[in-house]
Amino acid sequence: MTNPVPQLRLNSGATIPQLGFGVFLVSPEETQRVVEDALEVGYRHIDTATGYNNETEVGAAIRASGIPREEIFLTTKLRNDHHKAGEAAGAFDRSLRMLGVDYVDLYLIHWPMPANDRYVETWRTFGTFAADGRARSIGVSNFLVPHLERLLAETGTIPAVNQVELHPIFQQRELRRFQMEHGIRTEAWGPLGQGKYDLFGLPAIQDAAKAHDVQPAQVVLRWHLQTGTIVIPKSTSRERMTQNLDVFGFELDADEMAAIDALDENRRVGGDPNEVN
Ligand code: NDP
C-alpha cells in the first residue's frame, strides 16, 4: 500500500512527511518498543530531542526495523544548556553518535532562551551542520516572531521549520502568517493539547467526530493537516498511534473547520518561550 501521508517541501529542498510521531516523555525503557511499533504501523517521521533522553533507543528502533535509513525522516534538537558555538558542535556530534546515524533530516534549536542571548550565535553554527550535510535541514523550535526576525536580519539563513505549541485552544495565527510569508514551515507540538486540556470533549470536535464516525483525536489531527501544519502526535499505545495515522479517509468541511478555528483562546498549556531559560 502506498503511504498516504503527504510530503511537504521545505526551504532546504528536502521533503518532510506532514504527519510524524513524537517521543517526548516516552521513557528510555519504553522507547525502543514504542518507536518500533510506530514504524511498523506506518510512521516514517520520528521527532526526538537530546532533552528527551531517548535518542539511543530511537536509533536502536530504527536499526531494528530494517527500514532503510533514507526512508525515515528523523528530527532531534539541541538541548538548552548547549547553546554557544563550540558547545553546539559537540552536542550535535553526541546526538549523531547516540542515534547511531551519520545525518539527521532536521536539527532544531529546542528553545530560544532569549535571556541568554545566544540563539543567533547558535543559529550560525547550525548553518555549518547544514553545509556539511550532517543536518539535511535546520530549524528552530519555540521561536516567537521577534526571535525569527532577528535570525533573518542578522544571519540571512531562514529556518526550514519552527516547531511550536499549537492546537485548537492555541492556534498561533500571527506566527503562522509570518512563517507562511517567509517560507518557514509550521510544525505543531502538543497537537492534541498534551492531554492537559479536554479538547476531545468540546462540542465542535465531538460533532465532527460523530459526523465522520471517527475519534475526536482524529478530528483534531485532521484540522491541523488541513491548515497545512506538520503534526507529530505522541502515543505509547499501539492502538492510538494507529488511530492517529488513520486520518486520510475523511475530510472536514468548511463549517467544521470554522467551528474548530473558533475554539482559539490564545492560551498555552506549555512554557512561554520568553520565560524558558
Ligand atoms: P500530544 O498533544 O501529542 O499529546 C500526547 C498525549 O495524548 C498523551 O497523553 C497520549 O497518551 C494522548 N493521546 C495520543 N493519541 C491519542 C488518541 N488518539 N486519543 C486519546 N489520547 C491520545 O503531546 P506531546 O507533548 O507529546 O507532543 C507531541 C510531540 O511534540 C512530542 O512527543 C515531542 O516530540 C514534541 N514536543 C516538542 C516540544 C518542543 O518544545 N519542541 C514540547 C513538547 C512536545 P498515550 O501515550 O497514553 O496514548
Side-chain angles (χ1 to χ4, degrees):
M1 197 185 88
T2 51
N3 193 314
V5 179
Q7 298 279 336
L8 301 186
R9 182 75 58 188
L10 301 177
N11 63 20
S12 59
T15 56
I16 184 170
Q18 193 183 0
L19 175 59
F21 184 79
V23 295
F24 177 46
L25 295 183
V26 182
S27 69
E29 295 71 33
E30 240 191 330
T31 299
Q32 184 168 346
R33 190 275 299 168
V34 165
V35 175
E36 281 188 43
D37 277 354
L39 292 169
E40 227 172 83
V41 305
Y43 291 89
R44 290 294 179 270
H45 168 179
I46 308 294
D47 182 274
T48 184
T50 302
Y52 302 168
N53 197 28
N54 55 22
E55 286 172 310
T56 303
E57 294 75 14
V58 167
I62 290 174
R63 283 187 296 285
S65 74
I67 299 167
R69 168 71 188 90
E70 62 276 14
E71 289 179 19
I72 297 170
F73 190 100
L74 178 60
T75 300
T76 193
K77 313 182 192 89
L78 179 79
R79 213 171 68 181
N80 289 347
D81 52 354
H82 293 139
H83 280 248
K84 290 208 294 203
E87 291 187 23
F92 185 48
D93 285 342
R94 281 194 298 281
S95 274
L96 293 175
R97 250 195 332 271
M98 303 275 261
L99 290 160
V101 296
D102 48 23
Y103 71 92
V104 291
D105 295 280
L106 182 60
Y107 194 43
L108 303 177
I109 299 181
H110 206 148
W111 291 85
M113 301 202 300
N116 292 15
D117 197 20
R118 293 267 187 216
Y119 62 85
V120 176
E121 176 184 343
T122 303
W123 184 240
R124 286 208 179 87
T125 308
F126 268 48
T128 67
F129 308 149
D132 68 24
R134 291 182 304 152
R136 296 283 157 92
S137 302
I138 52 173
V140 296
S141 175
N142 299 300
F143 274 47
L144 304 175
V145 169
H147 308 139
L148 294 171
E149 281 173 333
R150 255 195 88 187
L151 290 191
L152 270 49
E154 294 183 33
T155 74
T157 308
I158 303 172
V161 162
N162 186 15
Q163 183 184 111
V164 293
E165 179 181 345
L166 203 173
H167 42 73
I169 301 306
F170 188 60
Q171 298 190 13
Q172 299 261 31
R173 287 168 205 274
E174 188 202 344
L175 182 72
R176 274 159 59 199
R177 196 174 316 114
F178 179 91
Q179 296 187 161
M180 175 94 77
E181 284 163 7
H182 289 86
I184 303 168
R185 289 280 182 191
T186 299
E187 181 170 33
W189 67 251
L192 301 173
Q194 297 194 304
K196 290 181 185 166
Y197 190 103
D198 182 22
L199 283 181
F200 303 156
L202 297 172
I205 290 167
Q206 289 260 328
D207 291 350
K210 282 195 199 99
H212 294 279
D213 194 20
V214 296
Q215 296 299 313
Q218 294 173 296
V219 168
V220 175
L221 293 172
R222 191 67 221 172
W223 171 80
H224 283 286
L225 293 168
Q226 288 183 216
T227 60
T229 300
I230 301 161
V231 273
I232 45 170
K234 166 261 175 188
S235 180
T236 51
S237 136
R238 191 175 167 114
E239 185 190 338
R240 286 188 289 280
M241 60 176 86
T242 304
Q243 191 180 96
N244 294 345
L245 191 59
D246 182 17
V247 291
F248 298 96
F250 70 103
E251 194 166 347
L252 301 175
D253 66 24
D255 290 343
E256 290 165 334
M257 288 295 287
I260 300 175
D261 287 346
L263 298 175
D264 193 8
E265 296 178 11
N266 197 24
R267 180 143 67 88
R268 298 179 184 279
V269 299
D272 182 333
N274 271 326
E275 279 152 29
V276 172
N277 282 296

